[in-house]
Structure formats: C-alpha cells, structure tokens
Amino acid sequence: MTILVTGAAGFIGSHLSAALMARGETVLGIDDVNAYYSVALKEARLARLTPNPAFRFLKVDIADRAAMEALRPQLADVTGIVHLAAQAGVRYSLENPYAYVEANVMGHLCMLEMVRNLPNVRNFVYASSSSVYGGNKVLPFSVEDRVDSPVSIYAATKKADELMSHAYSHLYGFPATGLRFFTVYGPWGRPDMAAYLFADAILAGRPIRVFNAGEMQRDFTYIDDVVAGILAALDRPVQPDESGVRHRVYNLGNHRSERLLDFIGVIEQALGRAAIKQMEPMQPGDVPATYADIEASRRDLGFEPATPVSVGIPRFIEWYKEYHGVK
C-alpha cells in the first residue's frame, strides 16, 4: 500500500512517515518546504527519510490547485491519505491571515478534491487542532463541545477544515477523520513551540517569555503518542453515523493539563540550568488552558498516551543538544 503524507518535512509528518515505513508501508511525502521556520531543519528531517527506498518525496504546495491536479495521475496506487500540511501557529495568524486561508482552507479543499477523485483511497485522516475549542472554559475539552467561537484565525481555519470534511464525506461517501492535536512536542520539534523556544533561550542565557504571568496550562502530548493515534485512525475508517455520514473528529492529547511553570521546571532540570523568566500579559488569540478529554479516542481508536513530560522532555533535550552540537 502507498500512503500519501502531506507535510512530510514537518515535525509530525516526518515522524509519521518513519513509523509507516517501519511497519512496511510505502510513503509518498508531499511538502512545499516553506520558510515559516528553519528550512534546514525540514531538510534534515527529510534526510532521515529519503535513504529508505519505501519513501518518495515531491516538493509541491498543496494549495496550488493546478499543481495538485497535475499530480493526480501519479497517485492511482494511493490507498490512504494523512493530511498534515498546514500553516501553523496561533500568533503568526494575527500577522499574516492570508497565509492561513491559503494553506489551511484552499489547501484542505485541494486535498478533499484529491480524495474524491482517487480510485483506491480507503481512508482520509487530517490534522485539526485543540485551538478550535477557543475560549471554552469547561475542562477537559470534549469533542461534544460546541466549537463555533474561535479566538484566532488559525483556529477558524481549522474549524473550517472540519466543516468542509463533513460536507465532502456527506456528498461523496468517503471516510474522513479529523484529529485535534494538543501541543505536540518531542525530538525534531518545531522551533516556534514552547519546549524548543524555552530550551533555546535558557541555553543562550536569554529571558523566556512567560505569558499570563505563568497562569497557563497546556495538555502537552509527546510525538510518539500522537503518531500512534494517527496510525490507529488510519487503520480504522469511520463507519456511517445515524445520518450515514462517515466523518468524525477526535482529541489526541495526553489527558493531563500541566501548569506552564511546572513544564518550564522540567526543562530547567533536564538542561541543568535555571530560566530567566520574563512575565508578560496574555497574548491575543491565546487561551489560558487546554486539556483533552480522550474518552472517544480511547473507545474508537484504542488511543492511550503513555509518555508524561517527565519522560518526554528529557528525550527532547537530548535530541536538541545533539542536533545543535550542545555539550
């Protein structure tokens, strides 16, 4: 079988591609390798995958309609699609909203059109985000909660992806599963995410920006647990609901909300250095707490996160030091 993975040069996409090949799948990776963050890091991730003959890579922008339509004849053997490519980052969506609509809305639409026109695709799994819960004050966040009050453009585009996927599944009958990721971290992670930003600043002796005076909570989820959840969703195409629609969304989180200051403390301990904390107010588009209710994911996907931050952060720091040559 050939699995198409979009965002294959990304953090989650590169880990997923490796896991798919480890279990005997052939992977076709797509990514535009844009410069939102370090291109060198993306290329280094790809360099770990490309020696494997089971991996083929195409540099394509999923939001480029003409390029995607031209690509379609090469994908006749694709049996599953995991769509992870997106413009990420809540704060950047305030600076450049056009990038989010282009990548996350137009790009997602192009992928849905791809799915409905490919003859052998048995399942479509795509990345949503915990950001869709917006300012929800009821914890933990459940997939049954209403999510029609986003507080960032990024969140709004991810909710739009869920709505479009439901419509396409209703119209064309294919199974589609949306996965709401909760603050994923680990080796080869994104430089704009908390663990990377904090480690980088602490080692350089720079202050770290601690928003909302540290009164923040996040459901930090280790990369291996997230990949296991994606594979489970890929292996379990959604069955029709009472209306005959084959679309569901699930939370993939650690099912544990960590205080931000405690999270920083684990990083300090792993580095053997103290952080200089610069307390700042809450940022526009941010939320004070995230916490995943994973009962539906457990029931339907067999999802069971196994990595606490006390284990995951030292693994991330070990990789960070090796990648950056820190002794």
PDB file of all heavy atoms in Angstrom, residues 2-21:
ATOM      1  N   THR A   2       0.368   2.297  -0.630  1.00  0.00           N
ATOM      2  CA  THR A   2       1.049   3.584  -0.606  1.00  0.00           C
ATOM      3  C   THR A   2       0.202   4.565   0.184  1.00  0.00           C
ATOM      4  O   THR A   2      -0.992   4.740  -0.092  1.00  0.00           O
ATOM      5  CB  THR A   2       1.273   4.136  -2.024  1.00  0.00           C
ATOM      6  OG1 THR A   2       2.139   3.242  -2.737  1.00  0.00           O
ATOM      7  CG2 THR A   2       1.910   5.524  -1.983  1.00  0.00           C
ATOM      8  N   ILE A   3       0.820   5.189   1.169  1.00  0.00           N
ATOM      9  CA  ILE A   3       0.153   6.202   1.974  1.00  0.00           C
ATOM     10  C   ILE A   3       0.714   7.562   1.588  1.00  0.00           C
ATOM     11  O   ILE A   3       1.932   7.758   1.600  1.00  0.00           O
ATOM     12  CB  ILE A   3       0.352   5.953   3.478  1.00  0.00           C
ATOM     13  CG1 ILE A   3      -0.047   4.522   3.860  1.00  0.00           C
ATOM     14  CG2 ILE A   3      -0.428   6.976   4.291  1.00  0.00           C
ATOM     15  CD1 ILE A   3      -1.490   4.167   3.582  1.00  0.00           C
ATOM     16  N   LEU A   4      -0.152   8.482   1.249  1.00  0.00           N
ATOM     17  CA  LEU A   4       0.239   9.854   0.949  1.00  0.00           C
ATOM     18  C   LEU A   4       0.244  10.646   2.246  1.00  0.00           C
ATOM     19  O   LEU A   4      -0.766  10.686   2.963  1.00  0.00           O
ATOM     20  CB  LEU A   4      -0.746  10.468  -0.049  1.00  0.00           C
ATOM     21  CG  LEU A   4      -0.577  11.965  -0.361  1.00  0.00           C
ATOM     22  CD1 LEU A   4       0.763  12.238  -1.005  1.00  0.00           C
ATOM     23  CD2 LEU A   4      -1.717  12.448  -1.266  1.00  0.00           C
ATOM     24  N   VAL A   5       1.381  11.254   2.561  1.00  0.00           N
ATOM     25  CA  VAL A   5       1.514  12.082   3.761  1.00  0.00           C
ATOM     26  C   VAL A   5       1.851  13.491   3.322  1.00  0.00           C
ATOM     27  O   VAL A   5       2.925  13.732   2.757  1.00  0.00           O
ATOM     28  CB  VAL A   5       2.609  11.549   4.710  1.00  0.00           C
ATOM     29  CG1 VAL A   5       2.773  12.477   5.915  1.00  0.00           C
ATOM     30  CG2 VAL A   5       2.282  10.132   5.175  1.00  0.00           C
ATOM     31  N   THR A   6       0.945  14.436   3.570  1.00  0.00           N
ATOM     32  CA  THR A   6       1.273  15.833   3.304  1.00  0.00           C
ATOM     33  C   THR A   6       1.925  16.429   4.543  1.00  0.00           C
ATOM     34  O   THR A   6       1.655  16.017   5.666  1.00  0.00           O
ATOM     35  CB  THR A   6       0.028  16.650   2.916  1.00  0.00           C
ATOM     36  OG1 THR A   6      -0.781  16.888   4.081  1.00  0.00           O
ATOM     37  CG2 THR A   6      -0.795  15.960   1.840  1.00  0.00           C
ATOM     38  N   GLY A   7       2.817  17.404   4.316  1.00  0.00           N
ATOM     39  CA  GLY A   7       3.586  17.947   5.434  1.00  0.00           C
ATOM     40  C   GLY A   7       4.658  16.971   5.887  1.00  0.00           C
ATOM     41  O   GLY A   7       5.026  16.938   7.064  1.00  0.00           O
ATOM     42  N   ALA A   8       5.205  16.195   4.951  1.00  0.00           N
ATOM     43  CA  ALA A   8       6.155  15.135   5.304  1.00  0.00           C
ATOM     44  C   ALA A   8       7.475  15.674   5.832  1.00  0.00           C
ATOM     45  O   ALA A   8       8.215  14.957   6.511  1.00  0.00           O
ATOM     46  CB  ALA A   8       6.406  14.239   4.097  1.00  0.00           C
ATOM     47  N   ALA A   9       7.808  16.933   5.523  1.00  0.00           N
ATOM     48  CA  ALA A   9       9.029  17.539   6.057  1.00  0.00           C
ATOM     49  C   ALA A   9       8.782  18.186   7.415  1.00  0.00           C
ATOM     50  O   ALA A   9       9.705  18.709   8.033  1.00  0.00           O
ATOM     51  CB  ALA A   9       9.580  18.579   5.085  1.00  0.00           C
ATOM     52  N   GLY A  10       7.544  18.144   7.861  1.00  0.00           N
ATOM     53  CA  GLY A  10       7.192  18.748   9.137  1.00  0.00           C
ATOM     54  C   GLY A  10       7.499  17.839  10.310  1.00  0.00           C
ATOM     55  O   GLY A  10       7.922  16.683  10.150  1.00  0.00           O
ATOM     56  N   PHE A  11       7.258  18.353  11.489  1.00  0.00           N
ATOM     57  CA  PHE A  11       7.553  17.641  12.733  1.00  0.00           C
ATOM     58  C   PHE A  11       6.765  16.327  12.809  1.00  0.00           C
ATOM     59  O   PHE A  11       7.334  15.224  12.843  1.00  0.00           O
ATOM     60  CB  PHE A  11       7.223  18.564  13.908  1.00  0.00           C
ATOM     61  CG  PHE A  11       7.250  17.940  15.270  1.00  0.00           C
ATOM     62  CD1 PHE A  11       8.170  16.952  15.594  1.00  0.00           C
ATOM     63  CD2 PHE A  11       6.361  18.370  16.252  1.00  0.00           C
ATOM     64  CE1 PHE A  11       8.188  16.392  16.866  1.00  0.00           C
ATOM     65  CE2 PHE A  11       6.378  17.822  17.513  1.00  0.00           C
ATOM     66  CZ  PHE A  11       7.288  16.832  17.826  1.00  0.00           C
ATOM     67  N   ILE A  12       5.442  16.426  12.798  1.00  0.00           N
ATOM     68  CA  ILE A  12       4.623  15.229  12.932  1.00  0.00           C
ATOM     69  C   ILE A  12       4.718  14.380  11.672  1.00  0.00           C
ATOM     70  O   ILE A  12       4.821  13.151  11.733  1.00  0.00           O
ATOM     71  CB  ILE A  12       3.162  15.602  13.244  1.00  0.00           C
ATOM     72  CG1 ILE A  12       3.078  16.389  14.559  1.00  0.00           C
ATOM     73  CG2 ILE A  12       2.293  14.352  13.339  1.00  0.00           C
ATOM     74  CD1 ILE A  12       1.691  16.929  14.877  1.00  0.00           C
ATOM     75  N   GLY A  13       4.709  15.021  10.498  1.00  0.00           N
ATOM     76  CA  GLY A  13       4.736  14.290   9.241  1.00  0.00           C
ATOM     77  C   GLY A  13       5.970  13.435   9.059  1.00  0.00           C
ATOM     78  O   GLY A  13       5.886  12.313   8.539  1.00  0.00           O
ATOM     79  N   SER A  14       7.124  13.936   9.480  1.00  0.00           N
ATOM     80  CA  SER A  14       8.352  13.147   9.331  1.00  0.00           C
ATOM     81  C   SER A  14       8.349  11.946  10.268  1.00  0.00           C
ATOM     82  O   SER A  14       8.764  10.843   9.888  1.00  0.00           O
ATOM     83  CB  SER A  14       9.586  14.026   9.571  1.00  0.00           C
ATOM     84  OG  SER A  14       9.594  14.571  10.878  1.00  0.00           O
ATOM     85  N   HIS A  15       7.884  12.135  11.495  1.00  0.00           N
ATOM     86  CA  HIS A  15       7.787  11.011  12.429  1.00  0.00           C
ATOM     87  C   HIS A  15       6.778   9.978  11.926  1.00  0.00           C
ATOM     88  O   HIS A  15       7.020   8.767  12.009  1.00  0.00           O
ATOM     89  CB  HIS A  15       7.363  11.508  13.810  1.00  0.00           C
ATOM     90  CG  HIS A  15       8.482  12.058  14.643  1.00  0.00           C
ATOM     91  ND1 HIS A  15       9.276  11.263  15.434  1.00  0.00           N
ATOM     92  CD2 HIS A  15       8.923  13.325  14.810  1.00  0.00           C
ATOM     93  CE1 HIS A  15      10.172  12.021  16.066  1.00  0.00           C
ATOM     94  NE2 HIS A  15       9.977  13.279  15.698  1.00  0.00           N
ATOM     95  N   LEU A  16       5.646  10.441  11.425  1.00  0.00           N
ATOM     96  CA  LEU A  16       4.637   9.523  10.914  1.00  0.00           C
ATOM     97  C   LEU A  16       5.164   8.738   9.720  1.00  0.00           C
ATOM     98  O   LEU A  16       4.953   7.515   9.623  1.00  0.00           O
ATOM     99  CB  LEU A  16       3.373  10.287  10.515  1.00  0.00           C
ATOM    100  CG  LEU A  16       2.290   9.434   9.858  1.00  0.00           C
ATOM    101  CD1 LEU A  16       1.702   8.430  10.849  1.00  0.00           C
ATOM    102  CD2 LEU A  16       1.191  10.310   9.269  1.00  0.00           C
ATOM    103  N   SER A  17       5.858   9.404   8.807  1.00  0.00           N
ATOM    104  CA  SER A  17       6.401   8.727   7.631  1.00  0.00           C
ATOM    105  C   SER A  17       7.351   7.605   8.044  1.00  0.00           C
ATOM    106  O   SER A  17       7.305   6.496   7.492  1.00  0.00           O
ATOM    107  CB  SER A  17       7.128   9.738   6.732  1.00  0.00           C
ATOM    108  OG  SER A  17       6.227  10.699   6.216  1.00  0.00           O
ATOM    109  N   ALA A  18       8.200   7.878   9.019  1.00  0.00           N
ATOM    110  CA  ALA A  18       9.128   6.854   9.504  1.00  0.00           C
ATOM    111  C   ALA A  18       8.377   5.677  10.116  1.00  0.00           C
ATOM    112  O   ALA A  18       8.736   4.512   9.897  1.00  0.00           O
ATOM    113  CB  ALA A  18      10.094   7.464  10.519  1.00  0.00           C
ATOM    114  N   ALA A  19       7.324   5.977  10.879  1.00  0.00           N
ATOM    115  CA  ALA A  19       6.545   4.908  11.518  1.00  0.00           C
ATOM    116  C   ALA A  19       5.809   4.058  10.481  1.00  0.00           C
ATOM    117  O   ALA A  19       5.716   2.834  10.622  1.00  0.00           O
ATOM    118  CB  ALA A  19       5.558   5.513  12.512  1.00  0.00           C
ATOM    119  N   LEU A  20       5.284   4.697   9.458  1.00  0.00           N
ATOM    120  CA  LEU A  20       4.597   3.954   8.399  1.00  0.00           C
ATOM    121  C   LEU A  20       5.556   3.012   7.684  1.00  0.00           C
ATOM    122  O   LEU A  20       5.229   1.839   7.434  1.00  0.00           O
ATOM    123  CB  LEU A  20       3.979   4.928   7.395  1.00  0.00           C
ATOM    124  CG  LEU A  20       2.709   5.647   7.839  1.00  0.00           C
ATOM    125  CD1 LEU A  20       2.408   6.822   6.913  1.00  0.00           C
ATOM    126  CD2 LEU A  20       1.521   4.685   7.866  1.00  0.00           C
ATOM    127  N   MET A  21       6.749   3.496   7.360  1.00  0.00           N
ATOM    128  CA  MET A  21       7.725   2.633   6.688  1.00  0.00           C
ATOM    129  C   MET A  21       8.193   1.505   7.601  1.00  0.00           C
ATOM    130  O   MET A  21       8.438   0.385   7.139  1.00  0.00           O
ATOM    131  CB  MET A  21       8.900   3.470   6.190  1.00  0.00           C
ATOM    132  CG  MET A  21       8.524   4.385   5.033  1.00  0.00           C
ATOM    133  SD  MET A  21       9.947   5.217   4.281  1.00  0.00           S
ATOM    134  CE  MET A  21      10.446   6.341   5.599  1.00  0.00           C
TER     135      MET A  21
END
